[in-house]
Amino acid sequence: MRPHIPSFAVCLTASALLAACTQRIPPPCPHGGLLQDAASLTAFRDGPGRDITDIQFKAGFSKINGTCEYLTEESKMTMSFQVVFDIEPGPTAETAQIKIPYFVAIVKKGQEFFNKPGLKNTFTAIATLPESHAKFRYEDAIIDVSLPLNDEIRASEIEVIFGFQLTEEQLLYNRASIPR
């Protein structure tokens, strides 16, 4: 004998399934990556020396965790990121805290940065050096980036690029150090 299912429950279940089928599925979160020339940071002490004995610290990206949320009624997307750095104090590390400037930029896939305000944001992580001056990992605070979506900026056509906000000298140092 089959169990009796009230017709109201069948209608309610069918209505819920139909409503789920008609909802829009948001596009996936944008892909991200590192800008090769800005993927590492070597900070030297003040003065003319630029060899290994003059390094205050080196930093590199270890991991980037991210999520996104589409707010269709506002035509925007909010992305949240947490950047994790590997930091190696150098022989001239003097202060207990170091500042690590980095950026998050929105670009069209395979193209240059958008030339619009707010699509490149800079942040400064402040890490405390361990007393041992040993290499360590630092997780920065979670950051949120909001992006308006329109005909010019579509979620499916963008990438998120990360890098260190370098001085011209640091950029030239990286370019000389990166095998091409």
Side-chain angles (χ1 to χ4, degrees):
M1 181 171 206
R2 292 186 348 184
H4 175 57
I5 301 174
S7 59
F8 176 72
V10 172
C11 284
L12 188 58
T13 303
S15 297
L17 288 173
L18 183 59
C21 291
T22 59
Q23 289 180 353
R24 290 181 137 180
I25 297 173
C29 291
H31 290 278
L34 291 174
L35 185 61
Q36 183 180 10
D37 288 349
S40 65
L41 168 63
T42 303
F44 292 96
R45 69 176 165 188
D46 290 337
R50 292 298 177 257
D51 65 27
I52 195 167
T53 62
D54 298 306
I55 294 174
Q56 287 184 319
F57 69 90
K58 290 183 176 186
F61 288 87
S62 171
K63 178 171 61 166
I64 300 167
N65 300 314
T67 62
C68 70
E69 178 182 13
Y70 291 92
L71 304 170
T72 51
E73 65 280 355
E74 298 175 36
S75 297
K76 71 178 184 178
M77 174 176 50
T78 300
M79 297 173 280
S80 296
F81 303 103
Q82 184 175 38
V83 181
V84 181
F85 301 104
D86 284 330
I87 303 169
E88 183 178 355
T92 65
E94 296 173 356
T95 62
Q97 291 187 326
I98 57 173
K99 294 180 179 181
I100 305 167
Y102 66 99
F103 67 85
V104 178
I106 310 300
V107 299
K108 278 194 175 182
K109 287 183 180 176
Q111 296 182 12
E112 296 293 319
F113 291 89
F114 282 102
N115 190 16
K116 296 202 177 296
L119 296 182
K120 180 183 179 197
N121 296 288
T122 56
F123 304 92
T124 302
I126 300 175
T128 302
L129 294 176
E131 287 186 31
S132 66
H133 276 63
K135 187 175 183 177
F136 67 103
R137 186 161 280 174
Y138 175 77
E139 293 181 9
D140 197 22
I142 294 173
I143 56 173
D144 294 318
V145 176
S146 190
L147 178 66
L149 300 175
N150 53 42
D151 288 340
E152 186 181 350
I153 304 173
R154 293 188 178 102
S156 62
E157 297 174 350
I158 62 172
E159 294 177 313
V160 182
I161 304 296
F162 295 83
F164 289 105
Q165 189 66 40
L166 304 173
T167 64
E168 186 174 346
E169 180 185 21
Q170 291 167 333
L171 179 61
L172 293 173
Y173 180 84
N174 280 3
R175 287 181 175 166
S177 303
I178 297 171
R180 304 239 180 220

